[in-house]
Amino acid sequence: MRYSIAFVVLSLCAARAGAGDEQYALGADSKRREGTPAGKVSKHGHKSEIFPGTERDYWVYVPAQYDGSAAAAVMVFQDGKWYVNEKGQFRATVVFDNLIHAGEMPITIGIFINPGVVPASKKGARARRNRSFEYDTLSGQYVRFLAEEIIPAVGKNYKLTADPRLRAIAGISSGGICAFTAAWERPDYFHKVVSHVGSFTNIRGGHVYPSIIRKTERKNIRVFLQDGANDLDNLHGSWPLANHQMAAALKFSKYDFGFVFGEGGHNGKHGGSILPDTLRWLWRDWKPVPEKKAGKDGGGKK
Amino acid sequence: MKRSVPGRRLAAHLLLILFAGNLSAQDMPLEQVLIDGEGWELVGEGYKFTEGPACDPAGRLHFTDVPGDTIYRLDDNGKPEVFVRDAGRPGGMMFGPGGKLYCTQGAKRRIVAYDLEGKLEVIASDVRSNDLVVTGKGGVYFTDPRARRVWYVDPQRNKRVVDEGIERPNGIILWPDQGTLVVADTNSSSLWTFRIEKDGGLAHKQAYYTMRLTRDKAPQSGADGMTTDRDGRLYVATHAGLQVFDTQGRISGVISRPQKAFLSNVVFAGKGLQTLYVTSSDKVYRRKTKVRGLLFSSHQAPPAKP
């Protein structure tokens, strides 16, 4: 009996959380296809110097097509455990398999990284959770951590690109603003950004980005934003309004950007359902323009 | 044991909710703290500079008048009465194990502790200090703003410097589980966190909390005394007001100051530790809340969440 009451209460909560999300489902590109080679995923641990005392896990996805003969593109996902989960809302590794196989994105090594935690030093004490500090802070500390600690660590085992146009970064919620901040601080390092229900609100001052974007010389970055009408409205701000403000500022400053606004809430259902198209858009020009073939008909025509 | 089907479904739902909860990470808006219609009430006035609000095991507030060299406590009717005269510029205070009142004694460069009768014991001497926090085991961390130091006095009364370099270390407090120490920097927007190691030393210093600044005082926050509540919120007295932070270091909001004067310190006291008391220049105020404070000397912290 106790169970059933709790169950009803929990079900009600779950149902409320799902308002507006029912329409979003994963498509064929997010499911395993026979004949499409699957990449390999390995799990690693990391202790950081740049975020002193923090420990975290990350996963490295290596596509089947990678053979080490050429440098691979890199895409880093914050809250990696959610994106790498093959039963989750994004299933990014499955989408990678399908899109890489189809030639719609480059051979890309995926780094799926969790936020840091400073573990407690004694029993019964609470760990210091560093997610908000790392993701919501407007500074270059996090991108420095990726560029100086994580990507070099992965680069010991794999040949990774040095071309910022072949580096992308993605995240959900605070991970979304984190991805934007990384590219904003280091456009020479990350060119491509994907934000799902991004927290461009005042958690740690991130609400100022729209005005900063309008009054800063344009940076060479490409930004994709996804949000929904049922996203959060709380003490930190209104997520739908904040994402509209971001999109309007990116438009005003003539950025290469995409904005998909639906009806979802604060989760990855909508973002996950459109991830294949998002990645196609993000990587749409990844192939170098083919050199004109001498002789034939002058080339250049599509 | 055989697991029932509803149990498994419950577990699945719990997982779902934990996932969703993680994403929006337990917001702690001010409305969880403040009661509609309850504002600041005057507790006492006519002092030179109030400081050191501390709560005894019975919930009774004690505070100091620093230039007045006096420690006060509230009598049974909630009126301030003198507890210790000629207290030697008493500053930060907190009750520790055994109901002793630990106090910084600026005029004599000491940390002292008073028992219930006001009898004095010297905890550390030849040290400058501003504010202190006492652990459940009787260790004392205290700040020396001028030398930019944080000190630790272990329960055997051995003292040592455990941090140097914060620009103006001032208020000092523990998380409810006493595993993390927080030190306020008056001169910047940062509150610094440290992990407390087994030997009492500090590790993994981080500017975990960023305070709101006022236009006229920036870049100084004016951060002074702090307290924590049972849910892990952190309260810090600043120029902007009484700033409240959640367990992930995110600002929840700013509670207005009771008067347009320096806000020096804060503590939970009173019945159920549900009343916020603040010291502000010549006055002491209180305000009822929906939350509860805690005493590090007696409170058992709830188990760490998964």
Side-chain angles (χ1 to χ4, degrees), chain B residues 202-223:
Chain B
L202 303 178
H204 310 322
K205 181 179 184 178
Q206 182 181 24
Y208 193 63
Y209 304 85
T210 302
M211 289 173 281
R212 187 189 289 181
L213 301 175
T214 56
R215 202 164 280 273
D216 56 332
K217 297 279 175 42
Q220 299 202 345
S221 59

Side-chain angles (χ1 to χ4, degrees), chain A residues 3-4 6-7 9-14 17 51-55 79 81-82 85 89 118-122 124-134 136-137 141 172-174 197 199 202-204 232 234-236 239 266-268, chain B residues 4 6-7 9-10 13-14 16-17 19-20 22-30 137 175-180 193-198 203-210 212 232 246-253 301-305:
Chain A
Y3 265 134
S4 60
F7 178 67
V9 171
L10 289 170
S11 302
L12 284 173
C13 292
F51 293 109
T54 61
E55 300 177 9
D79 288 310
K81 64 172 185 259
W82 295 340
N85 179 3
Q89 294 176 327
V118 179
S121 67
K122 61 173 187 179
R126 198 164 63 82
R128 192 194 311 166
R129 286 149 67 199
N130 222 35
R131 181 174 183 267
S132 172
F133 183 86
E134 293 175 8
D136 295 315
T137 303
Q141 192 175 359
I172 180 167
S173 186
S174 289
V197 297
S199 304
N202 186 20
I203 297 178
R204 291 175 181 264
L232 299 174
N234 64 23
L235 74 162
H236 308 297
W239 268 245
H266 200 63
N267 58 57
Chain B
S4 69
R9 286 169 76 182
L10 176 75
H13 273 73
L14 268 174
L16 201 109
I17 282 156
F19 182 92
N22 245 336
L23 201 46
S24 43
Q26 307 118 322
D27 290 320
M28 291 179 151
L30 283 188
K137 290 179 178 160
W175 281 8
D177 58 45
Q178 304 193 27
T180 297
T193 49
F194 301 85
R195 188 174 77 181
I196 296 179
E197 304 299 279
K198 289 197 171 66
H204 310 322
K205 181 179 184 178
Q206 182 181 24
Y208 193 63
Y209 304 85
T210 302
R212 187 189 289 181
D246 71 15
T247 54
Q248 292 189 79
R250 310 179 302 179
I251 189 164
S252 292
K305 283 176 188 159

Side-chain angles (χ1 to χ4, degrees), chain B residues 28-29 46 52 83 107 163 235 247 279 296:
Chain B
M28 291 179 151
F83 176 51
D163 182 68
Y235 303 73
T247 54
T279 48
F296 296 128

